[in-house]
Amino acid sequence: MPETVTVIERLRAAGCVFAEDEARLLEKAASTPEELDALVDKRVSGLPLEQVVGWAEFCDLRIAVEPGVFVPRRRSEFLVRTAIALTTAAAPVIVDLCCGTGALGLAVATAFPAARLHAADVDAAAVRCARRNILPAGGRVYQGDLFAPLPAELRKTVAAAICNAPYVPTGEVPFLPPEARDHEPRVALDGGPDGLAVLRRVAAEAPRWLAPRGLLLVETSERQAPLMADAMARAGLSPHLHSDDDLGASVVVGTCRS
Ligand SMILES: C[S@@+](CC[C@H](N)C(=O)[O-])C[C@H]1O[C@@H](n2cnc3c(N)ncnc32)[C@H](O)[C@@H]1O
């Protein structure tokens, strides 16, 4: 189809490695040639594909993704798998902090039919997007800083708090791929001087919210994982490191002792 060839050529010229696959997705998302043109324009200008088509596949779920909201990464499927494997409660309270689209919390909650899911993010665009994904599944989404917007009655009840917070060290943000640097908000990327500024605060507050034997699960880089484990231990959690070489993913799990 000549139109497809043109789309593929335009995507290739813009440096899209999977131009054929992307062309197929863009064509599916457009209902007219004009709309297709507009979508291709957005993509070649550097917008992440998921923000252009409006969705991402994550843990076999179709997740709505809006412009200006962090695109859930494949690597974070390991955080989801670890949370599902380690959660023993039949009707767990699950909290997704720094939830972005809410993909991670939704994926964990989907594995527990009786789960109660609460998600929160500081950014209004993320909260709007997470509500589209999470409210239809019966979960709740709040706006605010880390645990602060959660209802007080959740204290000491959380079976699994998952958190993929910003963890890129400030000095490395300029070296991120342009798709992230230019189209995902700074608040979703910048984790402070060593990348762990937000996650240290999460660890410090977690014991007030976790049930006895409840878990805090966070994603870090491989280099940051031992530092994060120290931060968890200082907060009174028992830390364990988990990693997946195929996905290049590191997850630090802290268990609440009391
Ligand atoms: C790396 S993105 C991850 C989003 C989502 N967890 C995911 O993996 O797709 C980090 C998210 O943390 C949010 N965030 C940053 N600082 C926060 C804070 N202090 N309180 C709550 N959310 C915060 C950002 O708005 C962003 O949505």
Side-chain angles (χ1 to χ4, degrees):
M1 200 159 82
E3 197 165 272
T4 309
V5 173
T6 316
V7 170
I8 293 171
E9 281 168 357
R10 287 187 63 198
L11 293 170
R12 258 204 212 112
C16 299
V17 181
F18 302 106
E20 285 88 351
D21 297 338
E22 293 202 7
R24 264 193 299 278
L25 287 170
L26 291 169
E27 278 164 5
K28 256 196 194 161
S31 31
T32 62
E34 293 72 30
E35 208 180 317
L36 177 59
D37 233 23
L39 294 182
V40 176
D41 283 348
K42 284 187 187 168
R43 181 62 185 131
V44 301
S45 79
L47 213 66
L49 178 70
E50 295 83 353
Q51 291 181 0
V52 176
V53 298
W55 61 276
E57 192 181 308
F58 184 81
C59 289
D60 295 327
L61 299 172
R62 191 176 168 123
I63 302 292
V65 179
E66 293 181 4
V69 179
F70 185 88
V71 177
R73 307 294 203 260
R74 249 322 282 303
R75 149 184 353 112
S76 302
E77 295 191 354
F78 180 60
L79 174 53
V80 169
R81 285 209 304 273
T82 307
I84 292 170
L86 297 180
T87 300
T88 51
V93 174
I94 293 162
V95 165
D96 183 357
L97 287 187
C98 300
C99 67
T101 61
L104 279 61
L106 186 63
V108 175
T110 300
F112 300 93
R116 282 158 290 156
L117 173 61
H118 298 264
D121 199 288
V122 76
D123 182 62
V127 168
R128 234 183 355 259
C129 183
R131 287 194 171 130
R132 282 180 61 195
N133 289 312
I134 285 178
L135 298 191
R140 299 181 64 185
V141 184
Y142 314 89
Q143 184 176 359
D145 180 51
L146 303 184
F147 291 94
L150 298 180
E153 64 262 25
L154 290 186
R155 282 175 190 260
K156 296 285 181 194
T157 70
V158 177
I162 60 172
C163 181
N164 184 26
Y167 62 83
V168 179
T170 304
E172 292 176 23
V173 172
F175 304 108
L176 288 172
E179 278 187 18
R181 209 180 52 218
D182 300 339
H183 300 284
E184 292 178 323
R186 181 100 190 181
V187 69
L189 304 172
D190 188 344
D194 69 351
L196 294 177
V198 178
L199 284 171
R200 280 200 190 87
R201 291 203 293 124
V202 173
E205 286 180 48
R208 269 175 249 141
W209 296 88
L210 294 179
R213 310 298 303 161
L215 307 170
L216 170 65
L217 303 104
V218 309
E219 183 178 302
T220 66
S221 69
E222 190 183 357
R223 184 166 41 90
Q224 292 164 335
L227 296 172
M228 191 62 218
D230 283 351
M232 285 190 182
R234 273 198 302 278
L237 303 172
S238 300
H240 287 277
L241 307 186
H242 300 253
S243 60
D244 181 295
D245 290 341
D246 291 339
L247 290 174
S250 294
V251 166
V252 188
V253 181
T255 306
C256 188
R257 294 191 199 126
S258 56

